Amino acid sequence: MAVLKIKVASIIGRMTALDNVTAVCGKAGIFHPDNPLSFYSDTSDFSPLNEENPYIEPLQQLADAVDGNHKRLYLLDAPALEGVNYTEDEIDAYISTISEKFGGLQADRSDAQQRIEDYSREISQISHFTGMALDLDSIRECSYIKVRFGFIPKESFEKLKHYDQNPYIIFFPCSSDDEHYWGIYFSPVDQVSEVDRIFSSLYFQRVRLAELKDTPEQAVADLRSAREVQLERIQRIDSQLSSLWEQEKDHCLKLYSWLREHSVYFGIRHFAARYNDNFILTGWIPAEDEALFRAELDKIPSVELYFEDASEELAHSPPVKLKNHKPFKPFEFFVDMYGLPQYNELDPTTFVAITYFLLFGIMFADVGQGICVSIVGWLMWKFKKMKLGQALIPCGISSAVFGVVFGSVFGYEHVLDPFYQSVFGLKSKPIEIMEPDATVGIIIAAVCIGIFLVLTAILINIVCSLKQKHYQRALFGPNGIAGFVFYGGLVLGFGGQMVLGWPILSLPYILLVIVLPLIIILFQEVLGGLAEHRLDWKPDSWGSYIAENFFELFEVLLAYASNTISFLRVGAFVLVHAGMMTMVFTLADMSGGIAYILIVVIGNIIVMGMEGLLVGIQVMRLEFYEMFSRFFEGGGRPFKPVVVRGEF
């Protein structure tokens, strides 16, 4: 349970040194810049730096030149840029040259591609008229008749019957597709305007076939030859583009990486503030890197550097990065979903890891299905880098471990009996879930687990609140010492007397352990105000205060009850798993043969998908509502240092 210790760094120096300072901050990859004006009370002499980034335009020009030719720009590693430097004139000259070279070839390629598309469209249209023995030269020589080639929608073709009175409105289909008829109509020269108008109203689309020479077959052959020429042209251009890229690749990538680096460094300038000829830059760094960061900045003349612990700057909301050991790190995913802790707040990741691991395993206890869940999680993380997959790996392991306890392997409840006999000397598995006595025991155990976790969450809140000097919450609140005594005393008193027969519930016990804590919770704001020396500890109206807080106290009591009852779902899902697999095997036994195997396999897949999703959601709900809400406020902002490559 740890939050990375950080410090706030204040860097002051001459404006002439700002570029060198931002380069050090960017290369370090640990500097999270912040607004320096918020750290000073008098900022009348300060002004922000609103400068345009000079590296954005050449970066865009280079990317447009290269990306438009399907070549990929990527960042080179830092060692590849050692000693590399460019002047503005060199950048402009090179980008202009490379843009001209790539642009010229790309323009030629686009022209060839457009020609191919035009030829393909013409081939598609003319092909509808092949096989008709048409002599296009003879058609073109007609003086008294006009011939129109084209296509008409099928709906419009049906409407031609409405023009029976006009002898020239006749369409001769040659071929058809799903939507159109392709064909010809004829018209005398003196009637062509009227005939064209009518066919145009029927959405006739003309194909200029009569402008071609010879026959449609010859026209198609000529067009295909012309298209082949353009395809060969594209191949030559692609070869030229590949050769050009191989020649310029190293230079392009170096320039691109250099520009990206310096663009990131320049972006840090926007966080700096200027006063006269000086600047001030403020940001956060990990405390463990202070010495190295200081050593690099000390190399720059006229720069002064000051560090303060983030705990002294809580008013500025120090950014937070969780720092956990490898087994617990996957569960940071769930903490991030709820919200990062504040800098002076406890990181609940370890608590979440332990409780989520145990609860998921108990509720989804099956050796075979647990192993499958881990494998699926590993695949999700390995190939998709899904954080949920990383969290599923330990959850599946937990399911397999508790599957051994409950004796379930892909729903088979007695496969592990030989294991219990040889290792523990038992006749069969230790817990027979579906037996009435075991069912009651599972439900009681689930409630006990809930009580223990609620009390643990209250203890965590007490420790955290005392650390943060929130005495009202630590001592007098429903999740403080008063709440711990009341809830623990209530459980111990009634549980001990009803279950174990201990004579605990005496009048002094009730007054001191149950009634007194409730009174303290009722007056928590007054007592907290006195403990924290607040001037407004006394309410304006005692009557209104008592009435309002009485109903809030009633809500607190309901919350204790509902939080405890919520853990019944832990036992319920143990029974649900056994019940669902019993149903699968009932269906399989009714079928037999190959159907038995298919039903068992498909049934296991369905159960794993449904139950895995439901259990995951229900455990997360228990974490967030029954435990997190007692000690965790969240609201922290992430620590995001400026990095050029990768993630911090």
Side-chain angles (χ1 to χ4, degrees):
M1 293 186 182
V3 171
L4 181 70
K5 298 296 182 184
I6 63 173
K7 289 191 173 184
V8 59
S10 297
I11 309 169
I12 302 173
R14 295 286 186 183
M15 285 297 301
T16 53
L18 182 55
D19 284 336
N20 292 331
V21 169
T22 56
V24 169
C25 294
K27 289 178 181 178
I30 58 171
F31 184 73
H32 176 125
D34 209 336
N35 180 14
L37 301 182
S38 65
F39 288 80
Y40 297 90
S41 56
D42 183 9
T43 58
S44 56
D45 295 331
F46 291 79
S47 60
L49 296 179
N50 297 318
E51 304 167 319
E52 185 176 351
N53 191 328
Y55 302 100
I56 292 180
E57 185 175 352
L59 264 174
Q60 188 62 51
Q61 291 173 346
L62 183 61
D64 290 343
V66 175
D67 292 348
N69 295 279
H70 308 292
K71 307 302 179 184
R72 188 175 68 89
L73 290 169
Y74 55 87
L75 284 171
L76 297 175
D77 293 334
L81 299 180
E82 289 184 6
V84 175
N85 196 23
Y86 296 96
T87 64
E88 184 177 349
D89 291 340
E90 290 174 338
I91 294 171
D92 291 342
Y94 181 76
I95 291 179
S96 176
T97 301
I98 203 70
S99 297
E100 183 178 348
K101 290 180 179 179
F102 274 115
L105 290 173
Q106 185 58 35
D108 290 344
R109 194 184 192 284
S110 297
D111 177 70
Q113 187 65 44
Q114 184 61 51
R115 289 173 182 267
I116 290 172
E117 293 175 2
D118 292 341
Y119 292 150
S120 297
R121 184 175 59 256
E122 291 181 30
I123 289 170
S124 175
Q125 292 178 347
I126 297 172
S127 295
H128 288 283
F129 302 97
T130 57
M132 297 179 62
L134 292 173
D135 186 348
L136 299 178
D137 291 331
S138 298
I139 291 174
R140 192 165 30 253
E141 292 174 359
C142 292
S143 301
Y144 303 103
I145 296 176
K146 292 294 183 181
V147 182
R148 302 290 192 243
F149 298 88
F151 57 91
I152 191 171
K154 288 186 174 181
E155 296 83 355
S156 298
F157 182 77
E158 299 298 328
K159 296 178 182 178
L160 287 173
K161 60 186 178 182
H162 299 304
Y163 297 91
D164 290 344
Q165 70 280 9
N166 190 329
Y168 304 118
I169 308 302
I170 301 175
F171 184 77
F172 298 94
C174 303
S175 61
S176 65
D177 54 25
D178 293 339
E179 298 179 355
H180 300 93
Y181 284 109
W182 297 73
I184 310 169
Y185 71 83
F186 304 88
S187 173
V189 173
D190 58 347
Q191 296 289 327
V192 69
S193 296
E194 177 64 15
V195 173
D196 284 346
R197 185 190 65 78
I198 293 174
F199 272 97
S200 176
S201 68
L202 295 172
Y203 303 104
F204 176 83
Q205 298 290 321
R206 188 175 175 184
V207 176
R208 303 285 179 176
L209 197 64
E211 298 177 2
L212 302 175
K213 296 180 179 180
D214 300 324
T215 64
E217 289 81 2
Q218 184 60 46
V220 168
D222 293 343
L223 288 169
R224 285 175 176 165
S225 298
R227 186 173 64 179
E228 287 298 322
V229 171
Q230 297 303 319
L231 288 171
E232 292 174 359
R233 179 186 174 195
I234 284 182
Q235 291 179 350
R236 290 195 303 272
I237 294 172
D238 286 343
S239 177
Q240 292 174 339
L241 284 170
S242 297
S243 298
L244 179 60
W245 174 244
E246 289 303 317
Q247 294 172 9
E248 304 293 341
K249 179 179 178 180
D250 290 342
H251 197 170
C252 277
L253 292 179
K254 282 184 178 179
L255 178 58
Y256 174 75
S257 301
W258 188 89
L259 287 171
R260 276 287 301 274
E261 274 195 2
H262 284 74
S263 178
V264 171
Y265 301 158
F266 193 91
I268 301 175
R269 292 175 62 100
H270 294 156
F271 292 91
R274 179 172 185 165
Y275 62 101
N276 299 325
D277 196 33
N278 302 303
F279 74 88
I280 182 166
L281 182 64
T282 303
W284 311 88
I285 66 166
E288 59 192 23
D289 296 315
E290 176 187 347
L292 182 61
F293 191 68
R294 182 189 292 274
E296 291 298 318
L297 286 174
D298 283 344
K299 297 177 182 178
I300 304 175
S302 76
V303 169
E304 298 180 8
L305 187 61
Y306 304 94
F307 290 97
E308 285 188 67
D309 288 335
S311 57
E312 303 296 326
E313 298 289 347
L314 295 178
H316 297 96
S317 184
V320 171
K321 180 173 178 61
L322 303 181
K323 183 180 181 182
N324 292 283
H325 297 296
K326 192 172 182 179
F328 306 130
K329 200 165 187 64
F331 294 91
E332 291 179 358
F333 170 71
F334 297 107
V335 177
D336 287 340
M337 288 178 63
Y338 192 87
L340 285 173
Q342 298 178 32
Y343 185 76
N344 62 336
E345 197 174 10
L346 181 72
D347 173 17
T349 303
T350 302
F351 179 76
V352 172
I354 295 172
T355 54
Y356 202 102
F357 179 86
L358 294 175
L359 292 174
F360 189 96
I362 294 171
M363 296 167 70
F364 189 24
D366 190 290
V367 177
Q369 293 179 5
I371 293 173
C372 289
V373 168
S374 288
I375 292 172
V376 170
W378 180 82
L379 293 173
M380 291 167 64
W381 172 248
K382 178 71 175 178
F383 296 104
K384 296 295 184 179
K385 294 302 178 185
M386 298 175 65
K387 293 183 178 180
L388 177 60
Q390 194 180 21
L392 284 177
I393 298 173
C395 288
I397 295 172
S398 177
S399 297
V401 171
F402 281 97
V404 174
V405 175
F406 291 120
S408 179
V409 182
F410 289 116
Y412 291 96
E413 298 292 331
H414 294 281
V415 173
L416 297 178
D417 285 355
F419 168 76
Y420 299 124
Q421 292 171 6
S422 61
V423 177
F424 301 106
L426 301 174
K427 293 182 180 180
S428 63
K429 62 180 185 176
I431 302 175
E432 189 64 57
I433 295 173
M434 301 306 290
E435 289 185 356
D437 291 342
T439 300
V440 174
I442 289 171
I443 297 299
I444 293 174
V447 174
C448 291
I449 290 172
I451 292 170
F452 174 78
L453 291 178
V454 169
L455 289 171
T456 303
I458 293 175
L459 282 175
I460 294 174
N461 177 68
I462 293 170
V463 174
C464 293
S465 299
L466 289 173
K467 180 182 177 182
Q468 297 170 351
K469 298 181 180 180
H470 293 166
Y471 298 117
Q472 176 181 326
R473 194 171 64 188
L475 302 176
F476 313 118
N479 295 311
I481 293 177
F484 184 87
V485 172
F486 167 76
Y487 184 71
L490 195 67
V491 169
L492 180 63
F494 283 93
Q497 186 148 329
M498 294 173 61
V499 179
L500 303 176
W502 296 342
I504 298 176
L505 291 174
S506 62
L507 181 61
Y509 182 91
I510 293 174
L511 292 175
L512 293 175
V513 179
I514 297 178
V515 176
L516 180 60
L518 285 178
I519 295 174
I520 292 174
I521 294 173
L522 179 66
F523 292 97
Q524 60 174 304
E525 294 180 11
V526 174
L527 297 172
L530 291 171
E532 295 175 4
H533 305 290
R534 295 200 301 263
L535 297 177
D536 59 344
W537 65 269
K538 187 177 180 180
D540 295 332
S541 171
W542 283 100
S544 299
Y545 175 86
I546 293 173
E548 181 180 341
N549 282 271
F550 175 79
F551 289 105
E552 290 185 3
L553 182 63
F554 186 69
E555 281 188 26
V556 169
L557 295 176
L558 288 178
Y560 282 131
S562 64
N563 292 159
T564 305
I565 293 172
S566 288
F567 282 91
L568 287 174
R569 71 191 71 217
V570 177
F573 270 93
V574 175
L575 302 176
V576 166
H577 177 76
M580 291 177 70
M581 292 311 303
T582 298
M583 183 176 64
V584 170
F585 284 111
T586 299
L587 293 173
D589 290 336
M590 292 170 60
S591 303
I594 189 66
Y596 176 92
I597 298 174
L598 290 174
I599 291 174
V600 170
V601 172
I602 295 173
N604 268 276
I605 293 173
I606 294 174
V607 170
M608 276 190 287
M610 289 179 56
E611 195 174 354
L613 177 63
L614 291 174
V615 169
I617 293 173
Q618 292 303 324
V619 177
M620 186 165 59
R621 184 199 177 283
L622 290 173
E623 294 283 351
F624 288 174
Y625 291 98
E626 272 61 60
M627 290 178 274
F628 266 42
S629 60
R630 297 189 177 278
F631 65 86
F632 188 61
E633 292 184 358
R637 57 175 176 145
F639 179 67
K640 292 184 176 180
V642 175
V643 292
V644 178
R645 299 169 183 83
E647 297 181 359
F648 176 75

